[in-house]
Amino acid sequence: MKKFNIRKVLDGLTAVSSSSASPQPGNRENDLIQETLQSEHFQLCKTVRHGFPYQPSSMAFDPVQKILAIGTQNGALRLFGRPGVECYCQHDSGAAVIQLQFLINEGALVSALADDSVHLWNLRQKRPAILHSLKFNRERITFCHLPFQSKWLYVGTERGNIHIVNVESFTLSGYVIMWNKAIELSSKAHPGPVVHISDNPMDEGKLIIGFESGIVVLWDLKSKKADYRYTYDEAIHSVAWHHEGKQFICSHSDGTLTIWNVKSPAKPAQTITPHGKQPKDGKKPEPCKPILKVEYKTTRAGDPFMILSGGLSYDTVGRRPCLTVMHGKSTAVLEMDYPIVDFLTLCETPYPNDFQEPYAVVVLLEKDLVVIDLAQNGYPIFENPYPLTIHESPVTCCEYFADCPVDLIPALYSVGSRQKRQGYSKKEWPISGGNWGLGTQSYPEIIITGHADGSVKFWDASAIMLQVLYKLKTAKVFEKARNKEDKPNTDIVDEDPFAIQILSWCPESRMLCVAGVSAHVIVYRFSKQEVMTEVVQLLEVRLQYELNDMESPDAGGEQPPALPTPGATSSPQASAPQSHPSTSSSSSDGIRDNVPCLKVRSTPLKQSPGYQVELVVQLVWVSGEPPQQITSLAVNSSYGLVVFGNSNGLAIVDYLQKTVLLNLGTIELYGSNDPYQRQPRSPRKTRQPSGGLCDISEGSTTSEDRCKSPTSVLTSNPQQFYNGGGRGAKMSRKLSLPTELKPDLDNRDNSFSRSRSSSVTSIDKESREAITAFHFCETFTRKTDSATTPSLWVGTSLGTVLVIALNLPPAGEQRLLQPVIVSPSGTLIRLKGSILRMAFLDATGSFLPPAYEPWYEPNAPDDRDEKDKVRKRRPVSVSPSSSQEMNENQYAVICSEKQAKVIALPSQTCIFKHNITETSFVLRADVVQMSNGICVACFCANGHIMTLSLPGLRPLLDVNYLPLTDMRIARTFCFTNNGQAMYLTSPTEIQRITYSQETCENLQEMLGELFTPVETPEAPNRGFFKGLFGGGAQSLDREELFGESVAGKASRSLAQHIPGPGGIEGMKGAASGVVGDLARARIALDERGQKLSELEERTAAMMASADSFSKHAHDMMLKCKDKKWYQF
């Protein structure tokens, strides 16, 4: 039959040729499918970022607005308010954020960066923007301080000088505190960088300056000289005031704290070594590790709190990082899971000259955020409501589902709420600022993440929030190796043998299937009831590829020794369901054979409500060869089947009857249709390395050694899953395909062809063909079919789509008794590049979802008849196609890493074809439902995100979004319905994006507000006597000291001012507050000045024209003076 293409696009009308079952095409008139989606329905933008800020470096808290800000080493800024209110911004330079300072209750934030720039952020708009920046040219910034309710920012530098910046205009004052003036003759050497600046809480005119070398100076701003100098022979890390301004405390590099009385500079009033052992003979205690930070907070009713990080003694080897809380005579040492980056004590008052009343400590760790309740005994931590545990174990894969059944999130939440830990603080989470956005999108969204430790987490992602619902630990079904010696050397990966590689989930039936890195597949059912499983059901499958041609000299394709006839209930290759492997054997010469990589537990397994194991399927070693990792997986609840494939072939398993239905090498699937005419090869005696799973942890670089195959038959140390610290990208589900066969791809980026080359060292390049995609559907399996039947479509890495017909027994009791018959149908479709995705449309161009069975409670009462009734009452939901007229056609949509095709069925005519990319390749493709149509969404390795219309494959969107810099993104990128997509932008953070115009327009409404108008608390009362006898807080007119009129202008070359993109728009957002008012007044003045000058010009022009008019009139009068009236 002659194939033909019609490509007509006329005003959105798409001509589709659809042939009927008869061999002559075109005997029916062309159907017209109106395509509703147009390019104006698409727009790409980032929506929200969730997770723990990657590589945090600094932190600040606004005690009135109750907002927390965290800066990172790559210039990111994350702001957190109440649970559900969070925001992400980025400094363009990407330099590390070294310090953050809120303008308290002003809706503004100052950030200081490692590239010596200072920025002012406006937080009064939903997407914060930079209003001003100042870049220092000759000095390096080391410390900043902005006093409460002041507009003058002190900036300390590496040279030991202090500059003063006006935060409204972002200009430098001429007032500078030079290091040599500050220390005078007290030291012969340079005092080192400024490590601390703060003003005396009771006297704003006195500034304390800490230099790294150990010198502290109390500087009088008015008289421009030092009042006191305090010297100590150990380097200083931080300084903190007592609120009365008579004492301050310093933390030092030898693990000591020194407390000084302001007026006694000769020696410290007290020296404490919190973790030092006190020698008996009164000598100095032995030195400890540096105390990196100390805070000194007072309470009205009791002893002050001294809180510090670091300072442990050097003999505490292997001890975890600690935060020490000293309160009165008690010292509590709180161990942390990760190194401490910074901590802040949250206090009731923003005023530094009042009793501080601390109530909590926020501790920023390298990979976590901990908030400690200071008011409760034992200092319990608060339960963290933010989704910061994405990276608890590295994420290895994820899937995203928008528009799920509405009962799913409540069901997952109810089983997940039982997993909560106990012992948290009873109080409300203290970071409670901001307001939620008004989300108009109300459809349920779920993100599932698979992790390196074998756990699977379900997240509620509705309305641009993220909240963990439920966690499943898949490793529970396996025996744990008690010690190193106990470990069987059958592992194909040394580290993380349970890591999840692929997830397949059916939201309607709640069936979950996971494939792990040790070539294992686990099928789970959802139940709300606890159950005790005596024996975990296990199937072992021997997916082998090559046979010695001595044994089967005349085999036409590579066939197992006893090839089951198509439709056999089980293949002899699969051992029957059993509790643990009985077949594991090592032949006499020690070659490992028929053993799986992991041992399934033999003891009974208590399964809590939630996901419960239905069946474990393991691939076994074949004559010394480890099983190849699974590259594709699909489950169908309507048919009761799970199917998986790797670079050897595929296996179809009936999980209801617990049998293997089909176990075929890829070549056998072709039968006599094999386009490559491959012949059987004898197996090589060398062991193949199994590719590992791409790690999502830091810096995945492609490992070079992955193509070197160990030559000995028995290698005790198989290829590692993660390659040491670099943790290489060894194999990934989408990226592990043989590319050597594709000459047109050779010009692609070198690093990619390496990481994408097959997980197998090429024995024979053309013989390894991995299974890369599956799709279950009710469709026309062969060209001659007149009715739709259940089938499985299989896509391979060489761009072939093969169809397997499924003959299912009737539902109900028969389904469990009669065999399912599966047979390759001979149908074959070819595309360029590895197959990624398949989907089906009905005759009107609407999406045809795979059939599914609605969820039912599997652990219903024991009454067997009842159970069967339950099953029978719930008919299998069949695709709409079977209820249509039988001669109506369907369309198969097939997308490979190079092109997309739409094929009319049953005629199998290609009616539309689109080459997606010539020079790159598609990493992820999904057929997605938008609010007004369906389309194909693709993400390319060159960073382009594209959408194509269906069925016409017209390009609707093509945006160069993000060049692929990391294998993590390739492995975790996924599209879902309603224009949503996501990927892991760092090992700890999920970035969500939308490609829907509608969502982009509504985003502003959906985003939360960080700034809410709050009254600033009243200043503390000075009291009668303090007012009478002096004392109490002294105020200072900083404007007078630092303003241009007195201090003069700063040197032009010292720093340059850069106006931010926030600009006027940002100013409109800044509706009130000191900074906002002043800045707006200045802009208004500018505008008024502009208008006045315009008015002057206009007046001048009018006067000029009046002049010329009077001149003309005068001339005219002279001319006509002597003429009579009749002479005119």
Side-chain angles (χ1 to χ4, degrees):
M1 182 182 120
K2 194 173 101 234
K3 285 204 170 183
F4 67 105
N5 282 1
I6 301 174
R7 293 203 76 181
K8 284 183 197 163
V9 181
L10 293 171
D11 302 330
L13 292 182
T14 313
V16 177
S17 141
S18 62
S19 356
S20 64
S22 61
Q24 281 76 30
N27 62 349
R28 284 178 62 192
E29 71 285 354
N30 289 344
D31 288 339
L32 285 184
I33 293 182
Q34 174 87 42
E35 287 189 2
T36 47
L37 284 175
Q38 302 299 333
S39 53
E40 59 265 21
H41 293 128
F42 294 92
Q43 183 187 339
L44 194 73
C45 70
K46 290 183 179 180
T47 51
V48 278
R49 184 174 288 203
H50 303 292
F52 182 76
Y54 183 55
Q55 295 180 328
S57 54
S58 56
M59 174 170 67
F61 183 70
D62 183 325
V64 181
Q65 285 287 323
K66 298 208 175 339
I67 287 173
L68 182 76
I70 295 177
T72 74
Q73 289 178 28
N74 54 12
L77 190 56
R78 291 282 297 280
L79 295 140
F80 296 92
R82 65 177 60 194
V85 176
E86 52 179 287
C87 174
Y88 156 74
C89 330
Q90 179 71 45
H91 293 90
D92 292 339
S93 67
V97 180
I98 54 174
Q99 212 178 339
L100 293 168
Q101 291 260 302
F102 274 100
L103 278 69
I104 293 171
N105 207 23
E106 297 284 358
L109 174 76
V110 171
S111 58
L113 269 57
D115 65 355
D116 309 307
S117 59
V118 195
H119 308 269
L120 177 67
W121 288 86
N122 174 21
L123 309 182
R124 291 171 178 246
Q125 47 199 84
K126 287 192 170 183
R127 294 219 148 169
I130 291 176
L131 294 175
H132 298 284
S133 302
L134 195 64
K135 178 94 167 70
F136 282 78
N137 298 323
R138 300 201 304 258
E139 296 247 42
R140 312 237 38 201
I141 299 173
T142 54
F143 192 88
C144 297
H145 170 63
L146 180 68
F148 179 43
Q149 293 181 326
S150 160
K151 66 170 188 179
W152 298 95
L153 172 76
Y154 301 108
V155 179
T157 69
E158 199 170 53
R159 289 186 184 170
N161 303 327
I162 293 176
H163 300 280
I164 298 166
V165 177
N166 179 334
V167 289
E168 286 169 10
S169 59
F170 247 55
T171 50
L172 276 171
S173 162
Y175 191 116
V176 182
I177 304 171
M178 304 301 281
W179 67 271
N180 49 358
K181 285 273 195 334
I183 65 161
E184 295 249 306
L185 302 172
S186 61
S187 158
K188 293 187 174 67
H190 186 278
V194 174
V195 293
H196 181 85
I197 310 167
S198 59
D199 43 359
N200 184 322
M202 287 297 179
D203 186 352
E204 295 172 344
K206 302 277 197 272
L207 202 62
I208 209 155
I209 305 163
F211 295 97
E212 193 178 65
S213 64
I215 297 174
V216 177
V217 173
L218 187 70
W219 181 263
D220 185 324
L221 288 165
K222 283 184 191 153
S223 63
K224 300 189 184 177
K225 64 179 178 47
D227 281 357
Y228 299 103
R229 298 185 181 86
Y230 315 83
T231 48
Y232 190 73
D233 52 7
E234 286 293 338
I236 287 179
H237 285 279
S238 74
V239 182
W241 279 103
H242 185 284
H243 85 271
E244 287 173 354
K246 292 174 184 165
Q247 275 190 333
F248 62 89
I249 184 169
C250 302
S251 75
H252 299 277
S253 57
D254 64 345
T256 55
L257 296 172
T258 52
I259 298 176
W260 301 78
N261 289 331
V262 169
K263 295 188 173 168
S264 318
K267 68 178 184 43
Q270 199 183 350
T271 304
I272 311 167
T273 312
H275 296 283
K277 293 191 178 71
Q278 295 291 340
K280 297 251 165 54
D281 50 11
K283 286 183 185 160
K284 270 180 94 175
E286 58 191 67
C288 292
K289 293 174 185 171
I291 295 177
L292 300 175
K293 183 173 180 179
V294 64
E295 292 206 337
Y296 193 19
K297 302 294 180 188
T298 51
T299 58
R300 269 191 177 79
D303 297 306
F305 280 87
M306 262 190 262
I307 300 164
L308 52 122
S309 62
L312 294 179
S313 66
Y314 280 102
D315 61 6
T316 51
V317 178
R319 186 138 180 218
R320 295 193 295 181
C322 292
L323 185 82
T324 306
V325 180
M326 297 165 73
H327 182 229
K329 293 202 169 74
S330 78
T331 299
V333 180
L334 309 174
E335 288 200 342
M336 301 291 159
D337 290 341
Y338 304 101
I340 296 172
V341 175
D342 195 2
F343 73 88
L344 291 171
T345 310
L346 308 190
C347 300
E348 296 290 355
T349 175
Y351 293 94
N353 57 357
D354 194 6
F355 284 99
Q356 297 297 287
E357 303 294 349
Y359 59 91
V361 186
V362 180
V363 190
L364 178 63
L365 307 175
E366 274 182 12
K367 293 186 179 178
D368 201 2
L369 181 75
V370 176
V371 183
I372 296 159
D373 183 352
L374 288 180
Q376 257 178 275
N377 281 343
Y379 305 131
I381 63 168
F382 288 88
E383 184 175 7
N384 196 321
Y386 305 136
L388 301 183
T389 58
I390 292 166
H391 61 288
E392 199 172 21
S393 164
V395 177
T396 47
C397 65
C398 44
E399 292 295 336
Y400 189 3
F401 300 86
D403 223 359
C404 305
V406 286
D407 55 350
L408 250 182
I409 289 175
L412 286 163
Y413 181 78
S414 71
V415 294
S417 55
R418 304 175 197 191
Q419 301 176 325
K420 292 255 169 87
R421 276 179 46 202
Q422 301 302 311
Y424 289 115
S425 166
K426 304 279 187 292
K427 292 212 180 72
E428 288 287 300
W429 180 249
I431 304 159
S432 55
N435 274 324
W436 293 309
L438 302 164
T440 48
Q441 290 180 338
S442 55
Y443 50 84
E445 297 173 72
I446 290 179
I447 289 173
I448 307 181
T449 52
H451 299 263
D453 64 356
S455 59
V456 176
K457 285 184 185 171
F458 290 77
W459 304 82
D460 175 4
S462 315
I464 70 170
M465 293 192 189
L466 192 71
Q467 185 185 5
V468 71
L469 289 170
Y470 171 72
K471 179 179 173 181
L472 167 69
K473 294 178 179 167
T474 65
K476 276 186 180 169
V477 304
F478 298 107
E479 297 275 353
K480 286 201 168 59
R482 284 181 189 79
N483 52 22
K484 286 272 164 68
E485 292 71 51
D486 191 33
K487 248 187 156 178
N489 52 2
T490 50
D491 292 9
I492 48 176
V493 291
D494 287 358
E495 206 181 330
D496 300 325
F498 309 116
I500 307 291
Q501 256 180 319
I502 313 173
L503 296 160
S504 175
W505 188 52
C506 171
E508 289 79 12
S509 66
R510 306 184 191 171
M511 288 300 295
L512 171 70
C513 200
V514 300
V517 73
S518 298
H520 62 276
V521 170
I522 313 176
V523 183
Y524 286 93
R525 270 188 201 280
F526 184 84
S527 168
K528 292 182 177 176
Q529 301 185 7
E530 187 174 296
V531 66
M532 195 74 188
T533 305
E534 293 299 322
V535 175
V536 174
Q537 295 286 317
L538 169 67
L539 276 179
E540 291 181 356
V541 177
R542 189 180 170 97
L543 252 186
Q544 87 189 61
Y545 192 73
E546 291 152 301
L547 292 168
N548 199 319
D549 30 17
M550 297 292 286
E551 290 166 15
S552 53
D554 52 359
E558 294 188 21
Q559 300 181 335
L563 178 71
T565 50
T569 52
S570 172
S571 129
Q573 312 276 312
S575 56
Q578 53 186 27
S579 53
H580 25 95
S582 53
T583 52
S584 49
S585 65
S586 286
S587 49
S588 53
D589 55 356
I591 290 177
R592 206 170 290 133
D593 194 41
N594 267 2
V595 278
C597 303
L598 299 173
K599 194 169 180 216
V600 170
R601 64 184 287 160
S602 47
T603 50
L605 176 65
K606 180 180 155 190
Q607 305 209 62
S608 308
Y611 274 101
Q612 298 173 350
V613 184
E614 172 86 355
L615 176 66
V616 179
V617 186
Q618 286 181 292
L619 292 183
V620 294
W621 286 64
V622 177
S623 39
E625 288 269 314
Q628 291 300 320
Q629 286 183 350
I630 291 161
T631 52
S632 51
L633 173 74
V635 65
N636 186 287
S637 58
S638 171
Y639 308 153
L641 301 180
V642 63
V643 56
F644 57 91
N646 62 12
S647 55
N648 287 344
L650 67 86
I652 303 178
V653 171
D654 177 342
Y655 65 74
L656 297 175
Q657 294 189 21
K658 317 275 189 289
T659 55
V660 179
L661 300 174
L662 185 71
N663 171 9
L664 277 185
T666 320
I667 299 175
E668 297 167 277
L669 272 178
Y670 284 94
S672 56
N673 295 344
D674 186 3
Y676 298 103
Q677 297 302 307
R678 288 167 284 201
Q679 291 302 311
R681 301 274 190 290
S682 57
R684 292 254 297 227
K685 287 288 173 257
T686 52
R687 236 205 66 204
Q688 302 314 319
S690 59
L693 164 64
C694 160
D695 176 28
I696 303 292
S697 110
E698 287 83 324
S700 27
T701 49
T702 314
S703 76
E704 294 286 353
D705 61 311
R706 56 190 298 276
C707 290
K708 299 171 190 162
S709 165
T711 44
S712 60
V713 175
L714 261 174
T715 322
S716 61
N717 180 14
Q719 199 79 12
Q720 287 186 2
F721 168 51
Y722 286 154
N723 138 30
R727 295 195 161 179
K730 299 235 181 125
M731 164 180 168
S732 110
R733 168 184 172 192
K734 297 281 179 284
L735 306 180
S736 62
L737 315 169
T739 53
E740 297 88 339
L741 306 171
K742 311 171 191 167
D744 55 321
L745 307 188
D746 286 347
N747 56 358
R748 67 161 58 127
D749 172 355
N750 212 6
S751 65
F752 256 100
S753 34
R754 233 190 10 253
S755 60
R756 289 166 44 81
S757 64
S758 161
S759 56
V760 183
T761 46
S762 56
I763 301 170
D764 292 291
K765 288 178 182 170
E766 76 281 0
S767 68
R768 286 283 179 181
E769 180 174 11
I771 307 290
T772 55
F774 289 120
H775 193 82
F776 284 103
C777 56
E778 303 259 329
T779 187
F780 301 96
T781 312
R782 300 172 181 83
K783 290 184 187 180
T784 52
D785 283 2
S786 57
T788 59
T789 51
S791 62
L792 169 65
W793 289 53
V794 181
T796 77
S797 58
L798 297 189
T800 307
V801 175
L802 302 144
V803 185
I804 296 174
L806 308 172
N807 191 341
L808 297 155
E813 206 171 314
Q814 291 302 306
R815 173 65 186 84
L816 299 174
L817 301 174
Q818 293 183 26
V820 176
I821 296 167
V822 294
S823 48
S825 67
T827 294
L828 191 114
I829 296 161
R830 297 198 50 76
L831 275 77
K832 256 190 349 190
S834 170
I835 304 294
L836 298 179
R837 183 73 62 212
M838 295 173 277
F840 288 80
L841 313 180
D842 66 13
T844 64
S846 304
F847 183 62
L848 277 180
Y852 61 83
E853 175 182 71
W855 178 77
Y856 65 92
E857 173 55 68
N859 301 321
D862 284 343
D863 192 352
R864 192 60 202 262
D865 303 336
E866 280 298 311
K867 245 186 182 173
D868 285 350
K869 268 184 211 158
V870 170
R871 298 289 299 255
K872 279 178 189 155
R873 270 203 307 274
R874 298 170 182 271
V876 169
S877 123
V878 179
S879 312
S881 57
S882 54
S883 60
Q884 298 168 354
E885 300 163 47
M886 285 315 173
N887 59 359
E888 285 223 351
N889 55 354
Q890 288 184 358
Y891 303 101
V893 180
I894 303 170
C895 188
S896 77
E897 58 182 13
K898 284 290 182 181
Q899 60 182 192
K901 281 185 179 178
V902 172
I903 287 151
L905 298 175
S907 68
Q908 295 180 17
T909 315
C910 173
I911 52 167
F912 291 109
K913 175 176 149 189
H914 178 71
N915 288 333
I916 300 169
T917 171
E918 292 299 331
T919 53
S920 184
F921 51 97
V922 179
L923 289 164
R924 175 80 187 210
D926 288 289
V927 174
V928 291
Q929 193 94 38
M930 302 291 282
S931 57
N932 45 0
I934 54 170
C935 64
V936 183
C938 310
F939 174 53
C940 267
N942 59 9
H944 282 251
I945 288 178
M946 301 176 223
T947 59
L948 306 170
S949 73
L950 283 176
L953 299 178
R954 287 177 301 122
L956 297 172
L957 172 81
D958 184 351
V959 177
N960 187 0
Y961 172 67
L962 155 115
L964 187 65
T965 49
D966 204 316
M967 293 287 284
R968 177 196 321 108
I969 296 169
R971 198 168 171 82
T972 56
F973 200 104
C974 36
F975 296 98
T976 184
N977 297 335
N978 297 330
Q980 307 285 354
M982 64 154 281
Y983 59 93
L984 247 79
T985 183
S986 75
T988 62
E989 294 164 292
I990 284 175
Q991 177 68 56
R992 286 164 72 179
I993 60 176
T994 180
Y995 46 97
S996 146
Q997 166 70 34
E998 193 184 350
T999 310
C1000 286
E1001 282 174 2
N1002 295 334
L1003 187 59
Q1004 201 61 19
E1005 282 174 33
M1006 294 168 68
L1007 291 172
E1009 300 206 43
L1010 286 166
F1011 181 79
T1012 45
V1014 181
E1015 283 289 312
T1016 302
E1018 274 188 32
N1021 198 343
R1022 284 175 67 183
F1024 174 73
F1025 289 105
K1026 279 191 175 170
L1028 201 61
F1029 300 113
Q1034 304 287 317
S1035 63
L1036 165 82
D1037 187 351
R1038 295 188 178 97
E1039 187 69 52
E1040 189 184 313
L1041 270 177
F1042 306 145
E1044 212 172 286
S1045 54
V1046 177
K1049 281 189 172 177
S1051 156
R1052 280 255 176 109
S1053 60
L1054 182 62
Q1056 68 199 76
H1057 176 250
I1058 305 154
I1064 293 279
E1065 186 46 50
M1067 284 307 169
K1068 285 181 186 155
S1072 63
V1074 184
V1075 174
D1077 283 342
L1078 286 160
R1080 255 196 341 285
R1082 204 180 60 255
I1083 284 175
L1085 274 173
D1086 287 353
E1087 285 174 358
R1088 212 157 95 208
Q1090 240 174 331
K1091 283 178 185 156
L1092 280 170
S1093 63
E1094 280 171 21
L1095 193 66
E1096 261 175 54
E1097 281 164 25
R1098 268 195 241 133
T1099 314
M1102 273 167 73
M1103 285 169 74
S1105 69
D1107 267 4
S1108 70
F1109 180 77
S1110 71
K1111 209 162 134 208
H1112 277 300
H1114 188 68
D1115 289 353
M1116 195 78 173
M1117 189 262 296
L1118 290 174
K1119 217 188 230 173
C1120 306
K1121 193 168 65 172
D1122 301 315
K1123 289 191 179 176
K1124 303 285 183 219
W1125 67 269
Y1126 52 84
Q1127 288 175 317
F1128 279 105

